[in-house]
Amino acid sequence: MSKIMIAVDLSSYSASVIAAGMELARSTKSPVTITSILDKNAEVIPVIETVSPSADELNGRLQDIIAHLETYREAYPDVTISVTATLGNPKEDILEQAAEEGTTTLVIGTHGRTGLDHLLIGSTAEFVIRHASIPVLVVPYRKERH
């Protein structure tokens, strides 16, 4: 049986990534795991003149993320959905979680950053595509045209 994992970063277009994954899930009658992995390096390492969040604050943020992702159950009642949120290394943990859960297809978004932004931030989607042993559906960021 097929299993789909949708990995999101909760950016403004995560709903588009989830919608694409749900469309695939509906067409293949597959269960879905929606996951978000807070980057431990970005969350824990203090930025100049700021304080790292406490363990309680991080746990609270993870619970908030899970609560947000749970709302997609109502939007897609015809799809079996589970949600997860963890603190870790998104690039590696997405692949590890997919392997552990027997995922057959990954769905991930890409911001389409280039140049210095891409070099400094890195591309989770690019890493996942290069290292995945299963198919990856990449949903590109598209600016809304008015």
Side-chain angles (χ1 to χ4, degrees):
M1 180 166 100
S2 296
K3 291 178 80 176
I4 297 170
M5 176 185 288
I6 304 170
V8 294
D9 61 3
L10 301 180
S11 64
S12 60
Y13 80 105
S14 289
S16 298
V17 176
I18 291 170
M22 291 301 176
E23 188 176 321
L24 178 62
R26 284 176 170 158
S27 68
T28 60
K29 297 180 180 19
S30 301
V32 169
T33 297
I34 306 173
T35 191
S36 184
I37 300 170
L38 279 178
D39 189 338
K40 66 182 175 188
N41 294 322
E43 297 296 323
V44 177
I45 297 174
V47 180
I48 297 171
E49 296 183 23
T50 63
V51 178
S52 291
S54 69
D56 287 342
E57 289 171 322
L58 286 172
N59 286 334
R61 289 190 63 195
L62 290 172
Q63 292 308 312
D64 290 346
I65 291 168
I66 288 171
H68 173 74
L69 295 177
E70 289 284 349
T71 65
Y72 287 99
R73 289 181 199 267
E74 294 174 22
Y76 301 96
D78 55 328
V79 178
T80 302
I81 299 171
S82 62
V83 299
T84 65
T86 58
L87 180 67
N89 178 337
K91 292 177 180 181
E92 295 172 0
D93 291 351
I94 288 169
L95 293 171
E96 187 176 307
Q97 184 177 340
E100 288 172 1
E101 294 184 8
T103 300
T104 56
T105 305
L106 271 168
V107 179
I108 193 165
T110 181
H111 293 280
R113 291 184 180 111
T114 58
L116 188 57
D117 278 347
H118 176 75
L119 182 64
L120 293 175
I121 297 167
S123 174
T124 299
E126 181 180 351
F127 183 92
V128 168
I129 293 164
R130 289 181 186 269
H131 296 91
S133 59
I134 58 174
V136 180
L137 171 63
V138 179
V139 181
Y141 171 72
R142 298 245 193 266
K143 286 188 177 181
E144 301 277 329
R145 293 190 178 177
H146 300 284

